[in-house]
Amino acid sequence: MSVNALEVRSLTKVIGKKRIVDDVSFSVHKGEIFGLLGPNGAGKTTIIRMIVSLIKRTNGAVIVNGNNLDEQFKETMSEIGAIVENPEFYKYMSGYKNLKHYANMAIKEVSDERIKEVARLVKLEDAIHQKVKTYSLGMRQRLGVAQALLHNPSLLILDEPTNGLDPQGIREFRDYLHSLAREGISVLVSSHLLSEMQLMCDRFAIIEKGRLIHISSMKETMEEDQAAEVVFEVSDSKKAADVLKNQVAASKIKVISEEQFSVYVERTGISTINKLLISNDIDVYGISRVTATLEDRFLEITNKEAVREA
């Protein structure tokens, strides 16, 4: 049985009488990108700060590659590379000199060859000797990842890493994280940008008001056999709608044009509707299921949670 790259057990943070983080537990598998989703103020950054020991935990344990952070602090922290909020560098120095500065402070010895290697990994080898003040925001973010990877950690933790990046920079950063995961590095990333996390993560957890309310794989979430809008292209949409009114609630049927209508139905009901239309001499030219986005699923999950609490 393989050991998880990260296990967070009953993580809790209480300040005064307020529970900022409430009994949160999850794990990150080796070589996967795991996302913490939630609105600003949900507790994502507090969770990350506790994992990397920037703030004290009220309760709970952090396990990295089977090692308890409280029992083997130096060894465990040496397995973690992190960017919490925006990476900061000396702008009057080159990217290389900044990395050299951080290398000198590392617990593990970092060779000049390793600095060159991480510069290549983040695709900064052509600009590594330029001053950081000449770097774009995306380049500074990649330099931050290089700094986090200097000591060759097995777990990379990133808090809102795409903040301020343009679409091209976000895509490049996402592709880079995927390449790291393919090399076996595990990534924990927090964000409130749901569309981006949908493309980036293997699994995710939703944090709301300091509590974990949902956890699943991205693939399972997006492929669930839940009811969805399905668009049919037919010879006569009005006739089709009349036929279906005896089988499907009228409120779930919407005529779009003379040859298109949509119906809100579960996946298993699509073939039944298709057979019904054909048996009533209605030609079916096309069927397309409107795929739900992560934003749709996020709102559905959080709305259910709100109803449960009411």
Side-chain angles (χ1 to χ4, degrees), residues 216-269:
S216 70
S217 78
M218 195 65 71
K219 184 177 180 181
E220 288 173 349
T221 298
M222 304 317 297
E223 291 182 355
E224 285 181 354
D225 290 335
Q226 57 196 358
E229 184 180 13
V230 180
V231 176
F232 284 79
E233 187 177 350
V234 296
S235 55
D236 188 335
S237 61
K238 289 184 179 179
K239 181 180 177 182
D242 288 337
V243 168
L244 292 182
K245 282 176 183 176
N246 295 324
Q247 305 290 327
V248 182
S251 61
K252 295 184 177 182
I253 304 170
K254 180 172 64 177
V255 174
I256 300 170
S257 66
E258 290 183 2
E259 294 188 342
Q260 278 191 327
F261 76 94
S262 70
V263 58
Y264 195 79
V265 66
E266 291 184 359
R267 188 173 178 223
T268 54

Side-chain angles (χ1 to χ4, degrees), residues 11-13 19-24 41-44 47 206-213:
L11 209 60
T12 302
K13 180 64 177 178
R19 299 180 78 84
I20 308 300
V21 175
D22 188 4
D23 196 28
V24 169
K44 304 186 301 299
I47 290 170
I206 295 177
I207 307 295
E208 187 173 50
K209 296 178 182 177
R211 294 188 296 112
L212 191 154
I213 64 170

Side-chain angles (χ1 to χ4, degrees), residues 90 92-104 115 128-130 132:
Y90 296 106
Y92 63 88
M93 290 166 52
S94 68
Y96 182 87
K97 287 184 178 179
N98 270 280
L99 293 182
K100 183 69 175 176
H101 172 69
Y102 281 106
N104 291 335
I115 296 175
I128 198 64
H129 293 292
Q130 295 175 17
V132 170

Side-chain angles (χ1 to χ4, degrees), residues 20 27-28 51 179 185 190 209 217 290:
I20 308 300
S27 61
V28 178
I51 292 172
S179 70
I185 295 175
S190 80
K209 296 178 182 177
S217 78
V290 179

Side-chain angles (χ1 to χ4, degrees), residues 96-137:
Y96 182 87
K97 287 184 178 179
N98 270 280
L99 293 182
K100 183 69 175 176
H101 172 69
Y102 281 106
N104 291 335
M105 295 189 293
I107 296 173
K108 295 179 181 178
E109 184 177 348
V110 178
S111 66
D112 288 347
E113 187 55 41
R114 176 60 181 169
I115 296 175
K116 294 174 184 177
E117 181 182 354
V118 295
R120 286 195 299 271
L121 279 173
V122 300
K123 298 180 172 60
L124 281 178
E125 63 267 39
D126 293 335
I128 198 64
H129 293 292
Q130 295 175 17
K131 290 183 179 180
V132 170
K133 67 181 180 182
T134 68
Y135 284 14
S136 66
L137 181 56

Side-chain angles (χ1 to χ4, degrees), residues 275-288:
K275 291 174 184 176
L276 187 61
L277 295 175
I278 293 172
S279 66
N280 281 273
D281 298 323
I282 298 170
D283 296 329
V284 179
Y285 306 127
I287 303 172
S288 58

